[in-house]
Amino acid sequence: MNFLVEFYAHHSRLLDEIGINALLALSLSVSLQAGQLALAQAGLAGIAAYISAIASMQYHWPLVASIVLAVACSTLVAALLAYPVRKLRGIFLAIATVGFGEIVRVIINNLNVTGGAEGLSGIPNDVNTSDIYGGLALVAVALFFLSRTKFALAVALTREDEAAARGVGVDTGMVRFASLALGGAIAGLAGALYAHSFYFLAPADFGFGRMEEILVWCVIGGVTSPLGAVAGAAFLSILPEIIRGLADFREITNGIILLAVILFAPGGLSALWRTRRTAIPRDA
Amino acid sequence: MPDALRLDGVTVRYGGVTALDGVSLTVTPGATLGLIGPNGAGKTTLINATTGIAPLAAGSISLGERRLDGQPPYRIARAGIARTYQNIRLFGTLDVRTNLAAGAYAQPGRLSDDAARALLERAGVAHLALDTLASALPYGDQRRLEIARGLASRPAILMLDEPAAGMNPAETARLVTTIRSLATEGIGILLIEHDMTLVRAASDHVVVLNFGEVLASGTPAEIARDPAVVEAYLGTTEDIA
Amino acid sequence: MIAQQLVNGLFLGAVYALFAVGYTLVFGVLDILNLAHAAIFMIAAFAAYSLVAAGMPIAVGFAGGVLLAGVAGILLDRIAFAPLRRRNAGTLVPLISSIGAAIIIGAIARGIYGIDERHFVPGGIDAPPIHLGSITFTAVEAIIFGTAIVLMLVLSYVLRATTLGRSIRAVSQDRIAAALLGVDIERTIAATFFIASALGGAAGILTGLEYNSVSIDMAGSIELKGLAVIILGGMGSITGAVIGGFVIGAVETLAIAFGLSEWRDALTFGVMFVILVARPAGIFGARALRNA
């Protein structure tokens, strides 16, 4: 028992990070499973993080209310974003969503209420590790139940072959919209929890660099696997801690692992537990 | 009595090209309509127009009382139109069971394994294991799996786009039996084919398309004797006599 | 006043165009969005810096950096893209692969140079301003602008008038047909990467000279702006990349002139977003490669 307490004391920060990263990875995974390379999740998380922080700090909203507000906002923005990009596929969707993320970054950078480039500090630090993992568990359970529904089949078919999916009666437009909105909700939860856990926000926290990181987690874990996304996030968050001596080589290790997965093991970590062949969508 | 599929004066244009010009035909439930014509005559365009992929410049398409043209493809599929593709579009990385479940997507409830096997039986591939990856199947089995997937949606109309491509005569003969038996079930079948043996054996009625227009229409025997049709096929290796 | 702003926009746009041309060239020929292009932009600048710091004249540094960039491009293709071609992996997989390569290149650069900013000329480049009517600029800016233009003209010539250029255009239009016509596909692709990366590297060195600053995050801004440029111009279109580069340069400079400096990135990406939604093909878009 003592060991656990000690372990927690030393590593609580890391555990928090892993939990948040797992949520972010799941938010992207939801889009990837539908075959959409929609790289908006970092920006959406950022929106939620700032809204949640501002609601707590300036308007003294209680924690849960501010989180709910933040998630509602990120979901709404995701839903609104889904409309103009509904005809975009593959690289064009990816670029459009990256552009969205950049616009969000600039807006955050320029507003007074967000603290601008200096960032926002002094956010009430009232989210602890069990809150984060509670949130993660909630999302995991919800996604699990969702995976048993026909919607999950619709998502897989949309990813595999959109035209053939329509040919069997799947409303692929609705699938794409729903997956983007759901991703927005999960990213929003991650952002809000992040704000109250790390109690400092900067515009760069949720920029393209972060988005790339999330993509790397998902690819390493297995692009079409939500469990893989979590595993990838956990693995890459823990890796620098394990290889303490290689802390300086963290970045290059990430890059090499990513390249190795793409070239030699495209199924990622999920290939370890999946029996059948999985493939990264050719063009999404 | 299930609904018939009617195309009335259907015209489709791509860029400057008129792919279909004033085409009218009817697919009757319980009967097979063969659609033949040289390459580029507009056969696949006709299927694309019916399934909502290609917009109409003029004319109408209806299933019974219900207008189909202008509807999004997924609604048309749900209305009871199923199709196979010239270049096989199965969900390759998914297994046989899931491909069939995909076909049954719009049907209420889940597709049981028994129901799945019944579909495979009707399509003539009862021997397939439900867990096999679709892309791992031999070519002929893939074509039939596509048909089974089409059947899973309990269609009023099933459109087959060159289902015999790449098949040997024995397999083609088996396909005739399958198509005939499906028609007996009450499905209206539109059969696009180049293989004239198949068309003659499987169709009750044939429409000949050329340059996007209906060149001739009648029983297989009548079509074989039609001089305009013979002329259109002169110089090709197809034997229609 | 407006004239000065336009000139500023031209200078900025020229470098954007030079960078974007390499981006769009690879996309036009291979349908790959190479996100490691910006990393090569950066290491070329460092290579030039190292040569200059070792006592070489700037021209030698420039040539060396450009050469290194070209070679790096060929290596990049061999390691990160060629294996994927063999297994016919589509367009998204190479994108992710390029991210991996970019991370590795960045890590190597950081390992060698650290995170500090380096300067081509310690203490600043002494460049007296030149006045032309109401317009003011320095000799350095003029040389940078001229170099960028010359390089783009050279590219245009190569694509239009040389055998290699014809091979590149053939491969970009129809790889299978080109192979049937006897074009050595892999060599053509290698040459494409050499040229594209050399131009990207040149843009990096010129940018380093412009601001007298080389750092591992110097490509952060242009990495994404380059996307906006090629989207505006049309993916795969060289002419589009050039025009797009100048348009974006003008948009940003005018934004600064009208006091919207902090919002200029939002404007650039806003324009890009609108283009994607309204006319994804961009101004000159089509998948085939066009030359200037």
Side-chain angles (χ1 to χ4, degrees), chain C residues 58-80:
Chain C
I58 289 192
V60 171
F62 180 81
V66 167
L67 192 61
L68 176 86
V71 170
I74 296 182
L75 280 175
L76 175 67
D77 176 55
R78 288 279 109 220
I79 297 175

Side-chain angles (χ1 to χ4, degrees), chain A residues 56-95:
Chain A
S56 302
M57 287 170 68
Q58 305 233 329
Y59 299 97
H60 308 292
W61 281 41
L63 176 68
V64 174
S66 78
I67 293 180
V68 168
L69 173 68
V71 170
C73 288
S74 67
T75 311
L76 180 64
V77 172
L80 291 174
L81 177 64
Y83 183 68
V85 304
R86 70 195 180 285
K87 296 221 176 88
L88 297 179
R89 299 290 183 275
I91 297 226
F92 295 97
L93 176 63
I95 296 177

Side-chain angles (χ1 to χ4, degrees), chain C:
Chain C
M1 176 59 179
I2 284 290
Q4 176 69 50
Q5 292 308 327
L6 283 177
V7 167
N8 290 349
L10 276 182
F11 287 155
L12 185 61
V15 175
Y16 281 170
L18 188 60
F19 180 78
V21 157
Y23 237 158
T24 215
L25 181 62
V26 167
F27 187 84
V29 174
L30 288 159
D31 276 335
I32 293 176
L33 190 61
N34 172 23
L35 287 184
H37 191 56
I40 293 183
F41 168 100
M42 178 263 298
I43 56 164
F46 269 111
Y49 159 78
S50 288
L51 286 169
V52 167
M56 304 280 168
I58 289 192
V60 171
F62 180 81
V66 167
L67 192 61
L68 176 86
V71 170
I74 296 182
L75 280 175
L76 175 67
D77 176 55
R78 288 279 109 220
I79 297 175
F81 301 127
L84 299 177
R85 275 202 289 284
R86 266 176 253 131
R87 67 168 207 240
N88 198 24
T91 57
L92 291 186
V93 176
L95 175 77
I96 300 173
S97 187
S98 74
I99 293 179
I103 295 175
I104 294 175
I105 296 174
I108 292 176
R110 206 188 55 164
I112 301 176
Y113 294 97
I115 57 173
D116 295 320
E117 196 185 330
R118 308 298 178 98
H119 306 280
F120 273 107
V121 179
I125 298 180
D126 186 24
I130 303 171
H131 298 282
L132 209 63
S134 60
I135 306 171
T136 305
F137 55 90
T138 69
V140 174
E141 287 176 321
I143 293 175
I144 290 173
F145 179 76
T147 311
I149 299 292
V150 165
L151 285 173
M152 288 190 276
L153 287 173
V154 167
L155 174 70
S156 168
Y157 174 77
V158 166
L159 284 176
R160 235 176 323 128
T162 66
T163 317
L164 175 64
R166 275 195 292 279
S167 304
I168 293 177
R169 278 187 290 137
V171 171
S172 81
Q173 290 203 344
D174 188 335
R175 199 184 298 184
I176 298 177
L180 288 173
L181 289 171
V183 173
D184 184 337
I185 303 294
E186 284 300 315
R187 262 191 60 198
T188 306
I189 291 178
T192 305
F193 268 100
F194 181 89
I195 295 174
S197 304
L199 293 176
I205 301 169
L206 294 177
T207 302
L209 286 169
E210 165 89 28
Y211 301 105
N212 194 23
S213 159
V214 177
S215 65
I216 53 164
D217 50 18
M218 67 186 287
S221 164
I222 207 172
E223 171 181 40
L224 298 181
K225 299 255 181 80
L227 291 179
V229 170
I230 62 176
I231 289 289
L232 177 60
M235 303 268 272
S237 162
I238 302 278
T239 317
V242 173
I243 295 189
F246 284 113
V247 169
I248 297 290
V251 165
E252 296 205 344
T253 320
L254 287 173
I256 298 175
F258 284 105
L260 291 171
S261 178
E262 316 85 50
W263 295 95
R264 65 183 191 279
D265 284 7
L267 274 171
T268 300
F269 292 110
V271 166
M272 180 187 88
F273 195 85
V274 166
I275 297 272
L276 277 170
V277 171
R279 194 192 150 84
I283 302 178
F284 293 89
R287 267 139 159 263
L289 188 67
R290 307 235 199 281
N291 54 1

Side-chain angles (χ1 to χ4, degrees), chain A residues 148 150 160-161 169 277, chain B residues 78 89 93 105 107 110:
Chain A
R148 313 256 135 220
K150 267 201 179 168
E160 284 295 316
D161 186 337
R277 183 166 51 98
Chain B
R78 291 187 193 183
R89 285 181 92 148
T93 69
Y105 174 79
Q107 299 294 309
R110 294 192 160 271

